Amino acid sequence: MIKAKIEDTELLAHLDSIHKDEMTIFVMADNAFRGAFLNGTRLVNQMRANHNLGILETMILGQAMLCGALLIPTMKGREHLTFRYDVNGPAAGFSVEADSTGYVRGYLLQNKIPIDKPLESWDLAPFLGDGTLTISRIGEGMKEPQSGTVEIMYKNIAKDLAWYFAQSEQIHTAFNTSIQFDKRGRVVGAGGMFLQHIPESGGYSKKSPRFQNDDSLIQRVENAFSAMPSIGQWFSEGGNMRDVIYGLFREFEPNAILNRDIVFDCPCSLESFTNHVRHLPKAEVEDIIKNDPNPIEIICHNCGSRYLIDKKNLA
């Protein structure tokens, strides 16, 4: 991938001053719940720069990227996942890919998103509309991906993703994502949290009977989750990740077990695109060499990288 340069020195200084991009994975209530807390401020800024997005486009694809990253803890071993939204609203939807190695990439199905009046709120429902949410997973050794699709219920990316888990996997799951813009429309904070009930864990502790795995425990955790502050604002103001985890869920004795890097990245390269063009049908390659300008420009739709291929490398 070719990373677009972020030219705003003031923004870069701010990014250097806040908590670094990373995901903290934690368990709590005697392992009855697992969760992940993510600072993705740089991830969203790099995504925006690479795709050259406006504010509305950044908000939609940024939330999708954060949700995609939060799906990484649900992966088993070497796994690759696609999170796709297909809707009838002006945004049309998005496709986001996440990989167990820690990279996330994706694109909007409609960029720029047509609007007929200035934004009045961050309610994205009018731009999303009705449609479907699909998650496809392919693990190491699998020949075909395993996919599940649900009808969109809330026209809210995080809530619809939780709805997917409730319908497709019958698991209590919650997602919360947030992107904070400053007065100049710059992303100064972005992040998200994932929380999931693990019924098969048993969830009962003789030392802590209040963690008995029942509806009361689930409701108490949901209440704590709903009290979360704006994550984007928290990170924009220099907030610490562990302060939220150990403060918000202190009743459930959380334990942070792993920190990992999450980045906006893509495995595309000039070499891979050159090989792809070179292996097109012979007549098509000959037509490209004869009629297309030199060099040929190819844009990776997953990350926005622009590659220039010299036609002499196609012969």
Side-chain angles (χ1 to χ4, degrees):
M1 186 184 88
I2 301 173
K3 288 191 175 183
K5 188 175 182 180
I6 300 174
E7 302 285 354
D8 190 327
T9 56
E10 185 178 347
L11 175 61
L12 289 171
H14 169 75
L15 296 178
D16 287 340
S17 72
I18 64 175
H19 196 290
K20 72 172 187 174
D21 268 29
E22 67 176 349
M23 177 186 290
T24 297
I25 298 171
F26 62 95
V27 295
M28 63 185 190
D30 288 341
N31 298 324
F33 288 84
R34 64 175 176 177
F37 192 32
L38 166 71
N39 178 13
T41 309
R42 290 162 189 78
L43 181 151
V44 172
N45 272 285
Q46 191 63 60
M47 170 211 78
R48 186 182 196 181
N50 265 59
H51 285 297
N52 190 27
L53 300 179
I55 291 178
L56 176 60
E57 292 81 7
T58 299
M59 176 61 81
I60 292 177
L61 187 57
Q63 288 195 24
M65 286 279 181
L66 294 169
C67 282
L70 290 169
L71 288 169
I72 291 176
T74 72
M75 296 181 180
K76 299 176 181 179
R78 291 279 301 178
E79 189 169 282
H80 191 84
L81 173 151
T82 300
F83 166 38
R84 187 176 173 99
Y85 226 67
D86 291 278
V87 292
N88 61 10
F94 56 77
S95 178
V96 167
E97 296 179 33
D99 191 86
S100 58
T101 59
Y103 79 76
V104 189
R105 64 178 187 171
Y107 60 95
L108 290 170
L109 303 185
Q110 176 67 45
N111 182 25
K112 303 281 187 172
I113 298 171
I115 57 175
D116 54 15
K117 60 180 180 179
L119 295 177
E120 297 177 350
S121 73
W122 286 122
D123 179 13
L124 300 178
F127 304 103
L128 298 176
D130 297 315
T132 59
L133 184 160
T134 300
I135 291 182
S136 301
R137 299 173 181 266
I138 186 163
E140 191 171 8
M142 293 173 58
K143 294 182 179 180
E144 298 290 337
Q146 295 179 340
S147 298
T149 300
V150 297
E151 295 289 329
I152 287 169
M153 174 64 69
Y154 300 100
K155 302 176 186 178
N156 175 294
I157 298 169
K159 289 183 178 180
D160 282 325
L161 192 53
W163 169 250
Y164 170 87
F165 277 93
Q167 295 300 303
S168 183
E169 302 186 21
Q170 291 79 51
I171 300 177
H172 287 281
T173 309
F175 294 86
N176 183 336
T177 60
S178 173
I179 298 175
Q180 182 75 22
F181 294 90
D182 67 7
K183 293 180 179 179
R184 292 173 55 185
R186 300 177 297 186
V187 176
V188 291
M193 179 173 281
F194 152 80
L195 199 61
Q196 188 171 71
H197 183 225
I198 311 175
E200 65 270 21
S201 70
Y204 182 80
S205 169
K206 293 181 179 179
K207 294 182 179 179
S208 305
R210 64 186 183 280
F211 294 153
Q212 185 171 347
N213 193 355
D214 57 16
D215 291 341
S216 172
L217 173 63
I218 294 173
Q219 185 60 57
R220 282 154 48 208
V221 171
E222 288 179 349
N223 291 341
F225 186 86
S226 65
M228 188 182 310
S230 166
I231 299 174
Q233 182 178 353
W234 176 264
F235 285 127
S236 75
E237 296 174 353
N240 183 279
M241 298 184 72
R242 291 185 174 234
D243 285 349
V244 170
I245 295 171
Y246 285 96
L248 195 66
F249 301 115
R250 60 186 177 277
E251 174 189 351
F252 310 104
E253 300 178 4
N255 180 29
I257 57 175
L258 177 68
N259 290 335
R260 62 176 304 174
D261 293 334
I262 304 291
V263 296
F264 175 72
D265 202 0
C266 182
C268 69
S269 66
L270 176 60
E271 181 182 9
S272 64
F273 276 114
T274 301
N275 286 334
H276 175 75
V277 176
R278 190 184 291 130
H279 288 90
L280 291 172
K282 183 177 180 181
E284 192 172 341
V285 175
E286 290 175 348
D287 182 69
I288 290 172
I289 294 173
K290 181 179 179 180
N291 298 309
D292 283 19
N294 192 34
I296 303 162
E297 182 181 68
I298 294 182
I299 300 173
C300 176
H301 66 273
N302 281 303
C303 69
S305 296
R306 296 174 180 266
Y307 295 100
L308 299 177
I309 301 175
D310 194 319
K311 289 196 290 188
K312 71 181 181 182
N313 294 324
L314 302 178

